Amino acid sequence: MAFPLSELNHLTDLACQAADAAARETLPLFRTAGLVADNKLAGAFDPVTAADKAAEAAIRKVVLAARPDDSIVGEEDANIDGSSGVVWVIDPIDGTRGFISGTPTWGTLIAVGDAQGPRIGIVDQPYIGERFIGTPNGAVLRRGGADQPISVRDVRNFEDATIFTTFPEVGRDQDRAGFVRVADECKMVRYGMDCYAYALLAAGQIDLVIEAGLAPYDVQGPIALVQAAGGVATNWSGGSAAQGGQIICAATPQLHAKALKLLEPYADG
Amino acid sequence: MAFPLSELNHLTDLACQAADAAARETLPLFRTAGLVADNKLAGAFDPVTAADKAAEAAIRKVVLAARPDDSIVGEEDANIDGSSGVVWVIDPIDGTRGFISGTPTWGTLIAVGDAQGPRIGIVDQPYIGERFIGTPNGAVLRRGGADQPISVRDVRNFEDATIFTTFPEVGRDQDRAGFVRVADECKMVRYGMDCYAYALLAAGQIDLVIEAGLAPYDVQGPIALVQAAGGVATNWSGGSAAQGGQIICAATPQLHAKALKLLEPYADG
């Protein structure tokens, strides 16, 4: 079954309700490590694991209450195979190392799509109070109750491009080599922004995100957001990014093509 | 003249008024690059330079109106040599590459002290709405109108420590080698947080920040904040950090001593 475009507003609203429910679980546990009164207790308690599990359960509850026949793919719990053709792909806390170290660069990722891939993508950063929402109708940044339209910027050449990655912290040697090959051509390189980097690309602030070793739940929300904002998202071979692995997102098709050419020797099979 | 501790509340309030004035200049220009309607005009306009200059002018105006005899050291304009013995050291936008790429990791840094160094330190991140304030009376995170006391956490060993730096992007080979020597011992390494890393250390979220090539205005606000929160801030030789250069901040004296021993071969003069 194809994605029900007639239900786009309903599905987007439901995804936002799910993100709200996740934030009610994540925010009380963010930065608790340094803030709890009794540090002896804190040693036995892993706030990110607790927040991850509670937030995914909260998202599933919201989705299944409204749409019991949808499929769900998540990081923390077993997949649910529904009959509706609509697939939810969720990561309650992407960027756990950011969460652990207090940086508001982690996000709750929610994608809604079908077997072909995501059509709605949300990157939610509740501590800052930013929700980046992409749909086939475009992309917005929702903050303080207002929606601001966002889109990628028109950067086509490496010499004008800012590139982000979570490298050098993750990835195989082959992945790092591919990233460095492109990064060396770019005007500016920055690290450590977790999923927030994809939101910055969608908002026209940066031009390339190149990562590897990603799972579908790491990437489906971000790629739907980037595509909704006018950007390009593929794997390093130019195929669908929906299954994760080696991912490249670019502001323009021209920049994407140039980067893909350099990544080709480092692309998996 | 020694720092007038009797005027601590007055000076802290004035520093906060100066940070408010800076935010009125920086925030309207943050993320304009990707958001202005006319991209042709945007090409001729450098938002970070405009924001930097306007914010420093705004800070100076607030300070000099209330305290015309104080000294001011800033990044953008000439130093002012006052007669009061009170010295303001200001950086209107620390982390300009973060500002340019849309990451809310830049900050407005304000230090108030005397010839011996800073006694009050503010790291202000107005987009997130966080103001980290350190004084001889302790440190707080001010957010949404409420002050939450913050302090460093009790991490004494590398195996429990999270280390942050703006490296690998800045610094000489010698500086990078020193950073890597310590980072290789730590549990977790993260990059790219600009001055926000010092705020996270003061808030008990991370344990080490090691950087180099810093100016006094880059570091005086952050080190006063870290010290107010119970942490240790020196240069790589264990001396005063107030003049910048190679800087290490640590959550505890024990962790500081261990890191300093490893940094010694890489320390300047």
Side-chain angles (χ1 to χ4, degrees):
Chain A
M1 276 168 288
F3 183 80
L5 275 175
S6 60
E7 298 185 72
L8 190 59
N9 290 344
H10 153 67
L11 288 168
T12 305
D13 288 347
L14 191 61
C16 289
Q17 290 169 35
D20 289 340
R24 286 191 289 271
E25 304 296 333
T26 54
L27 279 183
L29 292 168
F30 181 53
R31 295 192 184 170
T32 45
L35 299 174
V36 287
D38 187 342
N39 278 310
K40 280 169 286 182
L41 271 178
F45 175 69
D46 176 359
V48 69
T49 302
D52 238 338
K53 286 184 185 301
E56 180 158 330
I59 293 170
R60 285 173 181 255
K61 193 175 168 187
V62 168
V63 172
L64 291 176
R67 302 185 53 92
D69 299 327
D70 287 0
S71 300
I72 300 183
V73 176
E75 186 180 11
E76 296 294 324
D77 205 350
N79 293 351
I80 294 174
D81 253 333
S83 59
S84 70
V86 173
V87 183
W88 295 71
V89 181
I90 58 182
D91 189 357
I93 300 177
D94 181 76
T96 51
R97 287 180 301 173
F99 191 94
I100 292 171
S101 52
T103 66
T105 56
W106 56 276
T108 297
L109 308 181
I110 300 177
V112 196
D114 58 21
Q116 274 63 59
R119 304 297 292 272
I120 298 169
I122 289 181
V123 175
D124 196 52
Q125 210 319 301
Y127 185 79
I128 300 178
E130 290 180 315
R131 179 167 297 168
F132 298 86
I133 307 169
T135 77
N137 291 335
V140 297
L141 165 55
R142 182 169 295 172
R143 193 176 192 221
D147 283 3
Q148 177 175 32
I150 55 174
S151 65
V152 295
R153 64 183 175 191
D154 186 21
V155 165
R156 305 178 183 197
N157 298 308
F158 290 131
E159 70 227 49
D160 303 317
T162 297
I163 182 170
F164 272 54
T165 193
T166 303
F167 296 101
E169 294 163 309
V170 292
R172 303 162 297 171
D173 288 348
Q174 167 193 345
D175 301 326
R176 276 188 289 272
F179 169 75
V180 169
R181 181 69 188 87
V182 179
D184 282 349
E185 304 288 329
C186 291
K187 184 176 71 173
M188 184 159 70
V189 186
R190 299 277 288 174
Y191 303 92
M193 281 296 129
D194 302 313
C195 60
Y196 201 75
Y198 298 90
L200 291 172
L201 195 152
Q205 300 300 306
I206 67 171
D207 312 293
L208 281 167
V209 181
I210 295 181
E211 301 200 288
L214 301 181
Y217 51 76
D218 291 326
V219 76
Q220 290 214 0
I223 64 178
L225 172 65
V226 165
Q227 289 169 337
V232 184
T234 68
N235 62 29
W236 291 12
S237 303
S240 167
Q243 294 316 306
Q246 300 171 314
I247 299 300
I248 170 173
C249 290
T252 61
Q254 293 86 349
L255 188 61
H256 178 261
K258 286 169 188 163
L260 211 59
K261 201 170 168 187
L262 298 184
L263 290 174
E264 200 173 26
Y266 309 97
D268 287 333
Chain B
M1 276 166 289
F3 184 80
L5 274 174
S6 60
E7 298 185 72
L8 190 59
N9 290 343
H10 154 66
L11 288 168
T12 305
D13 287 347
L14 192 61
C16 289
Q17 289 169 36
D20 289 340
R24 286 192 288 272
E25 303 297 334
T26 54
L27 279 183
L29 292 168
F30 181 51
R31 295 193 183 171
T32 45
L35 298 174
V36 287
D38 186 340
N39 278 310
K40 277 169 286 180
L41 271 178
F45 175 68
D46 175 0
V48 70
T49 301
D52 237 339
K53 287 183 186 301
E56 180 158 329
I59 294 171
R60 286 173 180 255
K61 192 174 169 188
V62 167
V63 171
L64 291 176
R67 301 185 54 90
D69 299 328
D70 287 359
S71 300
I72 300 184
V73 176
E75 187 180 12
E76 296 294 324
D77 205 349
N79 293 350
I80 295 175
D81 253 332
S83 58
S84 70
V86 173
V87 183
W88 295 72
V89 181
I90 57 181
D91 189 356
I93 299 178
D94 181 76
T96 50
R97 286 179 301 172
F99 191 95
I100 291 169
S101 52
T103 67
T105 56
W106 57 276
T108 297
L109 309 181
I110 300 177
V112 197
D114 57 21
Q116 274 63 57
R119 303 296 293 270
I120 298 168
I122 289 181
V123 175
D124 197 51
Q125 210 319 300
Y127 186 79
I128 300 179
E130 290 181 315
R131 179 168 297 168
F132 298 86
I133 308 169
T135 78
N137 292 335
V140 297
L141 165 55
R142 181 169 295 171
R143 193 175 191 221
D147 281 4
Q148 176 175 32
I150 55 173
S151 65
V152 295
R153 64 184 175 189
D154 186 20
V155 164
R156 303 178 185 197
N157 298 308
F158 289 132
E159 70 226 49
D160 303 317
T162 297
I163 182 170
F164 272 54
T165 193
T166 303
F167 297 102
E169 294 162 309
V170 292
R172 302 163 299 171
D173 288 349
Q174 167 193 346
D175 301 326
R176 275 188 289 273
F179 169 75
V180 169
R181 180 69 189 87
V182 179
D184 282 348
E185 304 287 329
C186 292
K187 185 175 72 174
M188 186 159 71
V189 186
R190 300 277 288 174
Y191 303 92
M193 281 296 129
D194 302 313
C195 59
Y196 200 76
Y198 297 90
L200 292 173
L201 196 153
Q205 300 300 306
I206 67 169
D207 311 294
L208 281 167
V209 180
I210 295 182
E211 300 199 289
L214 301 181
Y217 49 76
D218 290 326
V219 76
Q220 290 214 0
I223 64 179
L225 172 64
V226 165
Q227 289 168 337
V232 184
T234 69
N235 63 28
W236 290 13
S237 303
S240 167
Q243 294 315 306
Q246 300 171 313
I247 299 299
I248 170 173
C249 291
T252 61
Q254 294 87 350
L255 188 62
H256 178 261
K258 285 169 189 163
L260 210 58
K261 203 169 164 187
L262 298 184
L263 289 175
E264 202 173 25
Y266 309 97
D268 287 333

